Amino acid sequence: VFSSDSSPPPSAPFDHRIVTPKPHQIATFYTINRDEVLGGGRFGQVHKCVENSSGLTLAAKIIKARSQKEKEVVKNEIQVMNQLNHANLIQLYAAFESRHDIILVMEYVDGGELFDRIIDENYNLTELDTVLFIRQICEGLQYMHKMYILHLDLKPENILCVSRATNKIKIIDFGLARRYKPREKLRVNFGTPEFLAPEVINYEFVSFPTDMWSLGVITYMLLSGLSPFLGDDDNETLNNILACQWNFEEEEFLDISEEAKDFITRLLVKSKSWRMSASESLRHPWLSDPSLHYQLHQKVQPIFSNTICVSGVFFQTFQGFS
Ligand code: PIT
């Protein structure tokens, strides 16, 4: 039978908790595996760890925070995570504060970053796989937005796969997340501008549609392996975003459904009030039409496909079809 498995990922192996940072030594209660860095360590250092009393396997994120100001930023992240109880959002278990850092102990998942599936030749991401991933990101976002919380840093690195065998995901990194405040502007470090919404670059008000722009960029990347606004340098990338200059001209889109293209077209809209919301996205045919999903399921799969990365652009090589 055909099924586009829409069941949620497993919940965290503990009930939702309201966490306050404890002034204790984490080493008294947890054994941190310093050798095992999770997720490639892009967000500082996340280690696998075990709670001594229960034997529970968890993930510990060590955040350097010396000043009171740096500590307040991390405490905001804890406050945000305290409000979020959803299977598609990584759950917070405990927190420890010491002089030089705050450690967040979180739900452990073992599937690696979605980012790695975009570039890994061993994963042939089909359009139907992408539907399943994007639907779950949308469900996580719909819940966050219902709770009046913006993520503001959605990108493939911040989406974790639950296991290598299934297409279940959880959203991580609430370091920039915050309660929506009308007329709040956002200052961001321009580390990687590829995912920034026009209103963020322009230092205008951020809102729920700011996350929906990022969802459009992620969808484009999962379907093609290409980054829609990436230019030869950051300046060109920022200009492409501000001009909302992007297209489906690359050959990677030849086999992609019109519904997928329509979905992206309704998210990568410069004016934030015209973008689809998370709820509208979930009702869009690309995510909701079972007969479309059946057609996608029937499609032939390229085999021996390889992905190479040249100066930040992913190229897919085709050697045949099965
Ligand atoms: C895992 C497994 C893994 C990485 C993580 C958790 C990281 C989670 C995380 C959560 C945050 C954040 C940064 C990273 O700011 O490979 O179970 O809130």
Side-chain angles (χ1 to χ4, degrees), residues 24-43:
H24 306 120
Q25 282 276 1
I26 185 170
T28 319
F29 305 102
Y30 296 82
T31 305
I32 298 186
N33 187 341
R34 302 261 168 196
D35 302 326
E36 202 153 348
V37 179
L38 301 170
R42 256 185 285 269
F43 20 64

Side-chain angles (χ1 to χ4, degrees), residues 21-22 24-26 34 61-67 71 74 95-104:
K22 296 177 187 67
H24 306 120
Q25 282 276 1
I26 185 170
R34 302 261 168 196
K61 181 192 178 192
I62 305 171
I63 306 168
K64 286 258 161 297
R66 287 166 187 265
S67 68
K71 287 201 155 92
V74 185
F96 293 87
E97 178 173 0
S98 68
R99 199 123 69 92
H100 297 308
D101 47 43
I102 297 182
I103 301 178
L104 304 185

Side-chain angles (χ1 to χ4, degrees), residues 37-40 43-44 46-47 58-61 63 77 81 90 92 104 106-113 157-158 160-161 171-176:
V37 179
L38 301 170
F43 20 64
V46 182
H47 296 271
L58 296 147
K61 181 192 178 192
I63 306 168
E77 184 170 347
M81 293 183 88
I90 211 99
L92 185 61
L104 304 185
M106 296 169 293
E107 174 184 4
Y108 172 71
V109 291
D110 191 26
E113 295 169 18
E157 294 94 317
N158 287 338
L160 290 186
C161 300
I171 298 173
I172 59 165
D173 201 340
F174 302 92
L176 281 184

Side-chain angles (χ1 to χ4, degrees), residues 3 9 17 86 92 105 129 152 180 218 252 285 290 297 305:
S3 137
R17 308 169 122 213
H86 191 275
L92 185 61
V105 181
D129 290 324
L152 298 177
Y180 168 67
I218 294 172
E252 282 79 354
H297 179 69
S305 164

Side-chain angles (χ1 to χ4, degrees), residues 147-165:
M147 300 299 284
Y148 248 62
I149 293 170
L150 312 175
H151 186 282
L152 298 177
D153 199 19
L154 277 181
K155 47 191 171 187
E157 294 94 317
N158 287 338
I159 313 290
L160 290 186
C161 300
V162 168
S163 78
R164 274 154 223 284

Side-chain angles (χ1 to χ4, degrees), residues 16 38 61 153 196 210 242 263 270 272 318:
H16 184 73
L38 301 170
K61 181 192 178 192
D153 199 19
L196 299 180
T210 308
L242 289 180
F263 183 84
K270 177 157 183 178
K272 61 180 187 294
F318 292 99

